[in-house]
Amino acid sequence: MTTPADKRIPVDFAEPSFAELFTPKLITVLREGYGLTAFKSDLVAGLTVAIVALPLSMAIAIACGVTPDRGLYTAIVGGFLISMLGGSRFQIGGPAGAFIVLVATTVQRHGIDGLLLATLISGIFLVIAGFLRLGTYIKFIPYPVTVGFTAGIGIIIFTSQLKDFLGLTLSGPEPGPILDKLEVLAAAVPTASPAALLLAVVTVAIIVLAKRWRPGWPGMLMAVVIASLLALALGLPVETIGSRFGGIPRTLPMPALPSLSLEKIQAVLPSALAFALLGAIESLLSAVVADGMTGRRHRSNCELAAQGTANIFAALFGGVPATGTIARTATNVRAGARGPIAGMAHSVFLLLFMLLAAPLAAYIPLPALAGVLVVVAWNMIEKHAFAALIRSSRGDALVLLATFLLTVFRDLTEGIVVGFALGAMLFINRMAKTITVEYQTPLIDPDVADSSRERVPYDPSLVTDPDIVVYRISGAFFFGAASTVGAVLDRIADQRKALILDFSAVPVLDSTAANTIAGAARKAHQAGVELFITGTSPAIRRTLFTHGVRPPQTRFGRTPESAVRHLQARSADSTKDAGETAGSDPRS
């Protein structure tokens, strides 16, 4: 049933304004009305997430090759700004396991100053990406790529924790490449410490059992506390934060710029780009997860700008790269958060923990933190999604395995780029196969919409006209399908006196496709064939005009039927004029 014109609901397709795109969700929440009940809920959620983030932030920092306090600085400063300025209501920011490999490599190559500089530059890149509105495009990363590189990172994190998990003593530095690392670790297995292994296993067991039987309890914090008490009570000979790092400070450092030089900037630029790319992907994935859990919608470009600002300030305070974290964001949602104040509260609670309990952190055994990261690594590997993609199709399996293997054995950035390229090529191939060029029989009524064609009787005079042929192009007409359509048009463009191309089923047309039509139009014109194009949207018609497909060489109509009637009427007029000329007296 057709809706009357005066009762149709207007839909506004206007592009969002700058304020709509970049207003932080904090402002939106406050405008909606933020009461005491919501504030209490956010405080409880913030405390819950802070308890989870406390051991995790230190463990990630240690795995990155820096001191544990830098992980706390990142969660406090970066996490606060991500929540305050971000485009997601529930995003929790801080150090992420996905960055471990990149950060550790950057520290080895360029030192702490190089890491801080790369983090600062990556923040600038993210701010620029946000204001250039690139967040929409980053969300186009194929699902097999995200599953593949996340699983690859999980494997790398797991292997990076084997030394502390087993309490191994290495004769030299631990290699970076995973095969070399495993070879060195295997050679050091005889030096394994039973005490370290005991604490690590106890930590993993407590986390797993707490998640299964008491999911509301802070399993990670409980595991670290129990392992620390066990090591202290039994006097176990294991490394602790105090023995390796001398503990953690009780205050935030004063902000300071890292050492700047053109040579240093050029050296760390690849790391900065990798930080920005991974941070953008990770944060937007986390925001999408939060949207799925709550039914809300985040502002991707605002989120990128906030992530960039957070990384700039995290670098100034001596932190590592910050991004949205999926596990902590999900914990925040499940804990009953109402808005960004929960994430801000999480950072404030972490600061209070550091101010009040910093001396106790010296007693935390490193095998316990290794156990925490082993659980994190296991959870990062989406086993069911991995298996489903392997079974789904050869294309998805190829993208998944290429990304996974390159991430593990080569480089994270290379894995993402190659996986994305493979995914894009497979998608182009699939889309190119969907386009069709079919012979169409014109209908009697030019006013009937395409969706009702099968209900309209045929007009014999239109069906049997030997001089007019109608072809309908269906599907996305773009560079991937241009050669296929071009080959068909080359075969039919000079067979009749008139060729009608129906574009009513073409949703999009790019410049390559428009150039293909322009070539067919030139060929038809040279052969004396009149070309009619019907059913084009304004955008498609504008693209065709830009590439020279325009009157008088090509005519445009609303439907194939109207084009056929126009051609027949003109043909009849020509015949009549010819008859009158032949029958007239030349002397008159």
Side-chain angles (χ1 to χ4, degrees):
M1 185 173 69
T2 305
T3 304
D6 57 345
K7 294 185 178 180
R8 290 175 185 167
I9 301 174
V11 180
D12 185 10
F13 292 102
E15 187 175 347
S17 65
F18 182 88
E20 291 173 326
L21 288 173
F22 293 99
T23 299
K25 284 292 185 176
L26 175 63
I27 303 298
T28 303
V29 170
L30 295 178
R31 284 175 178 171
E32 292 173 351
Y34 188 78
L36 183 60
T37 303
F39 181 66
K40 290 179 179 178
S41 298
D42 281 342
L43 284 182
V44 172
L47 178 60
T48 304
V49 178
I51 291 172
V52 173
L54 180 64
L56 198 54
S57 298
M58 292 189 290
I60 290 173
I62 293 172
C64 289
V66 299
T67 54
D69 54 317
R70 296 188 185 275
L72 293 175
Y73 300 158
T74 305
I76 293 169
V77 177
F80 188 88
L81 291 173
I82 286 172
S83 295
M84 184 177 74
L85 302 176
S88 171
R89 291 173 182 256
F90 307 102
Q91 185 84 281
I92 299 295
F99 279 92
I100 288 176
V101 181
L102 291 175
V103 173
T105 303
T106 303
V107 171
Q108 291 173 0
R109 293 176 180 174
H110 309 292
I112 294 297
D113 280 345
L115 169 64
L116 298 180
L117 181 58
T119 303
L120 188 147
I121 296 173
S122 73
I124 296 173
F125 286 155
L126 284 170
V127 171
I128 294 172
F131 285 115
L132 290 178
R133 305 183 185 186
L134 300 181
T136 305
Y137 301 100
I138 293 172
K139 291 189 292 186
F140 293 157
I141 299 293
Y143 180 61
V145 174
T146 62
V147 173
F149 86 75
T150 303
I153 292 169
I155 296 295
I156 294 172
I157 293 174
F158 178 83
T159 58
S160 71
Q161 296 308 301
L162 289 177
K163 174 180 176 294
D164 288 332
F165 193 94
L166 300 174
L168 303 178
T169 301
L170 304 183
S171 57
E174 187 175 347
I178 190 168
L179 294 179
D180 297 338
K181 183 194 298 286
L182 290 175
E183 184 179 352
V184 170
L185 293 176
V189 166
T191 67
S193 165
L197 180 59
L198 171 66
L199 290 179
V201 171
V202 167
T203 301
V204 172
I206 293 173
I207 295 173
V208 173
L209 292 176
K211 183 178 181 180
R212 181 172 182 179
W213 300 108
R214 291 291 185 270
W217 291 10
M220 288 186 178
L221 184 63
M222 288 170 50
V224 171
V225 170
I226 292 173
S228 302
L229 293 175
L230 188 62
L232 188 63
L234 300 179
L236 298 179
V238 294
E239 271 197 296
T240 64
I241 286 180
S243 65
R244 184 179 292 185
F245 303 105
I248 61 174
R250 301 183 62 171
T251 60
L252 286 174
M254 293 298 293
L257 280 171
S259 57
L260 296 173
S261 68
L262 182 59
E263 181 181 0
K264 193 73 171 177
I265 291 174
Q266 291 175 338
V268 303
L269 197 57
S271 296
L273 287 169
F275 289 169
L277 176 61
L278 183 57
I281 295 171
E282 190 80 1
S283 63
L284 294 183
L285 282 176
S286 178
V288 169
V289 169
D291 289 349
M293 295 177 68
T294 62
R296 299 285 186 173
R297 288 181 63 84
H298 72 281
R299 296 170 182 147
S300 56
N301 295 302
C302 179
E303 187 64 25
L304 287 186
Q307 296 285 336
T309 305
N311 275 279
I312 292 171
F313 279 88
L316 296 179
F317 280 90
V320 297
T323 188
T325 55
I326 295 176
R328 276 161 274 176
T329 298
T331 301
N332 186 43
V333 174
R334 286 194 291 263
R338 300 288 188 88
I341 289 178
M344 298 162 65
H346 130 271
S347 297
V348 173
F349 281 123
L350 283 177
L351 178 59
L352 292 176
F353 291 159
M354 192 175 73
L355 294 177
L356 300 176
L360 299 178
Y363 298 100
I364 297 176
L366 296 182
L369 294 181
V372 169
L373 284 182
V374 163
V375 174
V376 170
W378 176 255
N379 291 334
M380 288 181 71
I381 304 173
E382 301 177 61
K383 281 75 69 177
H384 297 296
F386 201 101
L389 287 170
I390 289 291
R391 296 192 302 266
S392 63
S393 69
R394 285 183 294 178
D396 287 339
L398 174 63
V399 174
L400 172 72
L401 292 176
T403 305
F404 173 73
L405 295 174
L406 287 171
T407 299
V408 173
F409 296 107
R410 289 282 299 176
D411 178 74
L412 176 63
T413 307
E414 187 174 331
I416 294 175
V417 171
V418 172
F420 179 79
L422 281 175
M425 292 299 293
L426 289 170
F427 174 76
I428 290 170
N429 182 56
R430 290 168 183 165
M431 290 299 295
K433 291 179 179 178
T434 63
I435 196 162
T436 58
V437 183
E438 298 174 314
Y439 176 78
Q440 294 288 301
T441 302
L443 305 179
I444 186 171
D445 189 355
D447 297 322
V448 175
D450 289 336
S451 59
S452 304
R453 285 189 169 191
E454 64 276 6
R455 299 193 298 270
V456 181
Y458 292 116
D459 181 351
S461 67
L462 300 184
V463 174
T464 58
D465 193 325
D467 294 327
I468 303 173
V469 63
V470 180
Y471 278 85
R472 190 183 198 193
I473 302 176
S474 303
F477 194 3
F478 68 112
F479 63 89
S483 61
T484 302
V485 176
V488 176
L489 295 181
D490 284 343
R491 293 196 299 267
I492 63 177
D494 56 356
Q495 293 179 356
R496 308 290 178 94
K497 291 183 179 180
L499 169 63
I500 300 173
L501 296 180
D502 183 19
F503 272 66
S504 58
V506 177
V508 64
L509 175 136
D510 70 357
S511 59
T512 305
N515 188 62
T516 300
I517 297 298
R522 286 192 298 269
K523 183 176 180 181
H525 182 70
Q526 292 168 0
V529 177
E530 188 162 7
L531 177 63
F532 248 97
I533 296 179
T534 64
T536 56
S537 66
I540 290 178
R541 196 177 307 118
R542 189 163 48 248
T543 304
L544 290 172
F545 278 18
T546 302
H547 287 78
V549 183
R550 60 174 67 224
Q553 188 182 67
T554 304
R555 295 181 178 273
F556 288 83
R558 190 168 61 85
T559 64
E561 292 74 32
S562 62
V564 170
R565 292 188 184 280
H566 174 82
L567 290 168
Q568 287 186 328
R570 201 173 62 182
S571 177
D573 290 342
S574 300
T575 303
K576 181 179 178 181
D577 291 343
E580 291 177 352
T581 302
S584 63
D585 187 349
R587 295 171 295 180
S588 60

